[in-house]
Amino acid sequence: AAAAKLLQASESGGSGSPADRQGMHLLLQSHQKLGNCQSVINIGNRYISRFRNSPEAADAMFSIGQCQWNIQQQDIARDTWRRLIRTYPDSAAARRAAEKVRR
């Protein structure tokens, strides 16, 4: 919770610098650990929109899908994971998403 509070200023991605990108990703992970799914979905979508070519974008999209699943939005989660597989086909997150979609 302290990390999420400390990183709150990173919610928008700041100036787009590598440090701002990393701060935003850490904020996403902090909310994920706290189980704040609505925050994960909101921050994750902003992260992907802002930093779609970053190494963490695929993981952010996977986290969005996982949170959608956790809040009983299974069809939306599957759509998110399918989009992840199409957008980042060579990522480890896409392989995890493929496992989730098959279930």
Side-chain angles (χ1 to χ4, degrees):
K5 186 173 182 172
L6 182 66
L7 293 165
Q8 196 62 39
S10 299
E11 189 167 346
S12 69
S15 67
S17 72
D20 290 335
R21 178 181 53 79
Q22 186 176 24
M24 189 175 189
H25 188 252
L26 290 171
L27 179 64
L28 172 89
Q29 291 175 320
S30 296
H31 280 289
Q32 188 173 10
K33 288 187 186 305
L34 291 169
N36 298 337
C37 277
Q38 198 58 53
S39 293
V40 170
I41 293 167
N42 292 335
I43 295 166
N45 281 324
R46 278 195 303 278
Y47 185 91
I48 293 164
S49 174
R50 193 112 197 250
F51 304 110
R52 69 180 49 84
N53 295 322
S54 77
E56 300 88 5
D59 288 328
M61 191 178 287
F62 183 85
S63 296
I64 291 168
Q66 190 62 58
C67 271
Q68 290 165 332
W69 185 271
N70 291 347
I71 61 173
Q72 307 303 313
Q73 295 179 345
Q74 282 84 8
D75 291 340
I76 296 169
R78 283 188 194 96
D79 288 343
T80 298
W81 288 327
R82 287 184 189 109
R83 187 167 37 103
L84 164 58
I85 293 164
R86 284 191 312 274
T87 307
Y88 304 102
D90 298 326
S91 68
R95 289 187 289 280
R96 290 193 315 268
E99 289 294 318
K100 297 281 192 177
V101 169
R102 278 185 268 225
R103 292 183 189 168

